[in-house]
Amino acid sequence: MNSQPTVSQDNMNSTELSIESVKKELYKRNHPSVTPIDIEAHAETVYQILKLKKKHNVVMLGHNYMEPLVFGLSTKNEQGDSLALSMHAAKTDAPYILFNGVPFMAETAKILNPSKTVLAADKTAGCSLADNFGAEEVRKLKALYPGVPVMIYINSYADAKAESDICCTSANAAHIAREMPGDEILFVPDIFFAENLEEELRGTKTVFFPGKGNREKGAVCEVHEKFLLSDLLAIRGSFDIPKGHPTRVLYAHWECRPEVLQEADFYGSTSQIGQDIAKRVEEDRLERAFVASECELTSNLGQEFPTVQFSTACSVRCSHMAKVTLDKVLNVLQALDKGDDLSPHEVTLMPEVIERARTPIERMLELSA
Ligand code: SF4
């Protein structure tokens, strides 16, 4: 007989699952942006979700940009950025994957593990990068640069990936571009990312991208484009983070504008920023930080690294990611529990799209292993 389900979050593994145990754990986390009001209002929903997650053996992947209570539904090894979550999705034996992120992420999970039922709390969540650059746009650029390998950012839909030679994430783009044969690469769709990659590869590889010497339109992340150089300079002043300070650091994500990356003390992917923070904390070299990225990333880093004083721009929130809420997650699990039609929540792809899109993703995983 099965034992009483336990809370699936890491710190609650040994605790019998109940509303009280959930509340206790949430209070214990001392999350800087989860107040007692939030805990009292949402503990029961969190409890219901964790109970159904356990009952149906659901892997719940949580992207770092999820609001803290949604992010905390995932265990530590179910949390991460696009690359980490793709790798987890590829390996899991669980029958259901519920992806708390935007739909292109859930598509990647489906491509890598097509026999599993992949669910999304909100299939309409969208993304300014993926929504504005599809298969047709890739084909047009390929025609302009015949023979040049196409590297597509993972923040794209499966049909666009299916037209490409290899995928990349912000954690491995420079490495993968260097590993690709030849001295030219066509990068799509993120224009700022492409410019940053061009700078990184200067002297070793020519990077073509939408809008550079052609009339094609690319896309940008509507969240990271908000950060201007003037904002970073103002943040240095108001939060007292001088450039090059030994224990105060200004971080920026790859999707930010080139001049923002140049101003930052450290730039990288979400996971690389997290790793740098962890290393500095371990060595007692980080007292204060600002991360030019999605605001909930900083909220979640604040819980993980309580000794660091984080400043954040709360208004810089991804409206697409924010569509994933506790209530919607519970709604999916309740549908599963009742045996309802899962099609409103299930992410499906045509078999030939899965087949064609898998190759560039698997190539990426091989090269980043
Ligand atoms: S932060 Fe939002 S808009 Fe930007 S790439 Fe991610 S999902 Fe897309």
Side-chain angles (χ1 to χ4, degrees), residues 312-326:
T312 186
C314 298
S315 66
V316 185
R317 180 84 179 91
C318 175
S319 60
H320 309 287
M321 293 278 192
K323 285 188 172 174
V324 182
T325 61
L326 286 176

PDB file of all heavy atoms in Angstrom, residues 312-326:
ATOM      1  N   THR A 312      16.124  44.930  -7.532  1.00  0.00           N
ATOM      2  CA  THR A 312      15.454  44.435  -8.730  1.00  0.00           C
ATOM      3  C   THR A 312      14.565  45.508  -9.341  1.00  0.00           C
ATOM      4  O   THR A 312      14.162  46.452  -8.675  1.00  0.00           O
ATOM      5  CB  THR A 312      14.636  43.161  -8.397  1.00  0.00           C
ATOM      6  OG1 THR A 312      14.112  42.634  -9.604  1.00  0.00           O
ATOM      7  CG2 THR A 312      13.481  43.442  -7.455  1.00  0.00           C
ATOM      8  N   ALA A 313      14.288  45.354 -10.629  1.00  0.00           N
ATOM      9  CA  ALA A 313      13.347  46.250 -11.315  1.00  0.00           C
ATOM     10  C   ALA A 313      12.038  45.472 -11.429  1.00  0.00           C
ATOM     11  O   ALA A 313      11.846  44.685 -12.353  1.00  0.00           O
ATOM     12  CB  ALA A 313      13.897  46.617 -12.686  1.00  0.00           C
ATOM     13  N   CYS A 314      11.167  45.674 -10.445  1.00  0.00           N
ATOM     14  CA  CYS A 314       9.951  44.846 -10.346  1.00  0.00           C
ATOM     15  C   CYS A 314       9.041  44.950 -11.556  1.00  0.00           C
ATOM     16  O   CYS A 314       8.265  44.042 -11.836  1.00  0.00           O
ATOM     17  CB  CYS A 314       9.127  45.247  -9.139  1.00  0.00           C
ATOM     18  SG  CYS A 314       9.990  45.021  -7.637  1.00  0.00           S
ATOM     19  N   SER A 315       9.104  46.056 -12.276  1.00  0.00           N
ATOM     20  CA  SER A 315       8.184  46.210 -13.408  1.00  0.00           C
ATOM     21  C   SER A 315       8.653  45.431 -14.632  1.00  0.00           C
ATOM     22  O   SER A 315       7.897  45.273 -15.581  1.00  0.00           O
ATOM     23  CB  SER A 315       8.041  47.685 -13.756  1.00  0.00           C
ATOM     24  OG  SER A 315       9.268  48.171 -14.230  1.00  0.00           O
ATOM     25  N   VAL A 316       9.894  44.945 -14.610  1.00  0.00           N
ATOM     26  CA  VAL A 316      10.386  44.210 -15.777  1.00  0.00           C
ATOM     27  C   VAL A 316       9.999  42.743 -15.613  1.00  0.00           C
ATOM     28  O   VAL A 316      10.770  41.900 -15.172  1.00  0.00           O
ATOM     29  CB  VAL A 316      11.915  44.386 -15.964  1.00  0.00           C
ATOM     30  CG1 VAL A 316      12.357  43.706 -17.257  1.00  0.00           C
ATOM     31  CG2 VAL A 316      12.261  45.849 -16.012  1.00  0.00           C
ATOM     32  N   ARG A 317       8.763  42.480 -15.975  1.00  0.00           N
ATOM     33  CA  ARG A 317       8.174  41.156 -15.767  1.00  0.00           C
ATOM     34  C   ARG A 317       7.750  40.655 -17.134  1.00  0.00           C
ATOM     35  O   ARG A 317       7.218  41.426 -17.944  1.00  0.00           O
ATOM     36  CB  ARG A 317       6.961  41.324 -14.832  1.00  0.00           C
ATOM     37  CG  ARG A 317       6.203  40.058 -14.481  1.00  0.00           C
ATOM     38  CD  ARG A 317       6.854  39.345 -13.336  1.00  0.00           C
ATOM     39  NE  ARG A 317       6.111  38.128 -12.982  1.00  0.00           N
ATOM     40  CZ  ARG A 317       6.358  36.934 -13.502  1.00  0.00           C
ATOM     41  NH1 ARG A 317       7.271  36.768 -14.412  1.00  0.00           N
ATOM     42  NH2 ARG A 317       5.665  35.883 -13.098  1.00  0.00           N
ATOM     43  N   CYS A 318       7.973  39.383 -17.414  1.00  0.00           N
ATOM     44  CA  CYS A 318       7.531  38.816 -18.691  1.00  0.00           C
ATOM     45  C   CYS A 318       6.025  38.522 -18.591  1.00  0.00           C
ATOM     46  O   CYS A 318       5.609  37.654 -17.822  1.00  0.00           O
ATOM     47  CB  CYS A 318       8.309  37.549 -19.012  1.00  0.00           C
ATOM     48  SG  CYS A 318       7.676  36.763 -20.511  1.00  0.00           S
ATOM     49  N   SER A 319       5.254  39.232 -19.381  1.00  0.00           N
ATOM     50  CA  SER A 319       3.790  39.065 -19.304  1.00  0.00           C
ATOM     51  C   SER A 319       3.383  37.664 -19.765  1.00  0.00           C
ATOM     52  O   SER A 319       2.326  37.162 -19.385  1.00  0.00           O
ATOM     53  CB  SER A 319       3.097  40.121 -20.157  1.00  0.00           C
ATOM     54  OG  SER A 319       3.510  39.991 -21.494  1.00  0.00           O
ATOM     55  N   HIS A 320       4.226  37.043 -20.576  1.00  0.00           N
ATOM     56  CA  HIS A 320       3.915  35.687 -21.067  1.00  0.00           C
ATOM     57  C   HIS A 320       4.130  34.662 -19.947  1.00  0.00           C
ATOM     58  O   HIS A 320       3.280  33.817 -19.682  1.00  0.00           O
ATOM     59  CB  HIS A 320       4.800  35.350 -22.270  1.00  0.00           C
ATOM     60  CG  HIS A 320       4.766  36.405 -23.330  1.00  0.00           C
ATOM     61  ND1 HIS A 320       3.684  36.586 -24.144  1.00  0.00           N
ATOM     62  CD2 HIS A 320       5.669  37.358 -23.675  1.00  0.00           C
ATOM     63  CE1 HIS A 320       3.921  37.589 -24.978  1.00  0.00           C
ATOM     64  NE2 HIS A 320       5.122  38.074 -24.707  1.00  0.00           N
ATOM     65  N   MET A 321       5.282  34.756 -19.309  1.00  0.00           N
ATOM     66  CA  MET A 321       5.574  33.845 -18.194  1.00  0.00           C
ATOM     67  C   MET A 321       4.551  34.040 -17.056  1.00  0.00           C
ATOM     68  O   MET A 321       4.169  33.091 -16.374  1.00  0.00           O
ATOM     69  CB  MET A 321       6.972  34.112 -17.648  1.00  0.00           C
ATOM     70  CG  MET A 321       8.089  33.770 -18.619  1.00  0.00           C
ATOM     71  SD  MET A 321       8.448  32.004 -18.560  1.00  0.00           S
ATOM     72  CE  MET A 321       9.985  31.963 -19.489  1.00  0.00           C
ATOM     73  N   ALA A 322       4.138  35.296 -16.879  1.00  0.00           N
ATOM     74  CA  ALA A 322       3.226  35.610 -15.772  1.00  0.00           C
ATOM     75  C   ALA A 322       1.847  34.991 -15.958  1.00  0.00           C
ATOM     76  O   ALA A 322       1.047  34.955 -15.024  1.00  0.00           O
ATOM     77  CB  ALA A 322       3.105  37.124 -15.614  1.00  0.00           C
ATOM     78  N   LYS A 323       1.578  34.489 -17.163  1.00  0.00           N
ATOM     79  CA  LYS A 323       0.277  33.841 -17.380  1.00  0.00           C
ATOM     80  C   LYS A 323       0.185  32.494 -16.663  1.00  0.00           C
ATOM     81  O   LYS A 323      -0.890  31.925 -16.526  1.00  0.00           O
ATOM     82  CB  LYS A 323       0.045  33.632 -18.875  1.00  0.00           C
ATOM     83  CG  LYS A 323      -0.320  34.907 -19.603  1.00  0.00           C
ATOM     84  CD  LYS A 323      -0.716  34.591 -21.025  1.00  0.00           C
ATOM     85  CE  LYS A 323      -1.258  35.810 -21.722  1.00  0.00           C
ATOM     86  NZ  LYS A 323      -1.516  35.557 -23.142  1.00  0.00           N
ATOM     87  N   VAL A 324       1.334  31.958 -16.274  1.00  0.00           N
ATOM     88  CA  VAL A 324       1.325  30.673 -15.555  1.00  0.00           C
ATOM     89  C   VAL A 324       1.118  30.954 -14.070  1.00  0.00           C
ATOM     90  O   VAL A 324       1.991  31.511 -13.405  1.00  0.00           O
ATOM     91  CB  VAL A 324       2.650  29.904 -15.788  1.00  0.00           C
ATOM     92  CG1 VAL A 324       2.605  28.556 -15.076  1.00  0.00           C
ATOM     93  CG2 VAL A 324       2.895  29.723 -17.278  1.00  0.00           C
ATOM     94  N   THR A 325      -0.044  30.593 -13.586  1.00  0.00           N
ATOM     95  CA  THR A 325      -0.395  30.880 -12.193  1.00  0.00           C
ATOM     96  C   THR A 325      -0.695  29.577 -11.441  1.00  0.00           C
ATOM     97  O   THR A 325      -0.937  28.527 -12.065  1.00  0.00           O
ATOM     98  CB  THR A 325      -1.657  31.761 -12.130  1.00  0.00           C
ATOM     99  OG1 THR A 325      -2.729  31.020 -12.741  1.00  0.00           O
ATOM    100  CG2 THR A 325      -1.470  33.069 -12.871  1.00  0.00           C
ATOM    101  N   LEU A 326      -0.716  29.684 -10.120  1.00  0.00           N
ATOM    102  CA  LEU A 326      -1.053  28.505  -9.305  1.00  0.00           C
ATOM    103  C   LEU A 326      -2.413  27.942  -9.695  1.00  0.00           C
ATOM    104  O   LEU A 326      -2.576  26.720  -9.818  1.00  0.00           O
ATOM    105  CB  LEU A 326      -1.100  28.890  -7.824  1.00  0.00           C
ATOM    106  CG  LEU A 326       0.222  29.134  -7.098  1.00  0.00           C
ATOM    107  CD1 LEU A 326      -0.073  29.586  -5.677  1.00  0.00           C
ATOM    108  CD2 LEU A 326       1.108  27.900  -7.102  1.00  0.00           C
TER     109      LEU A 326
END
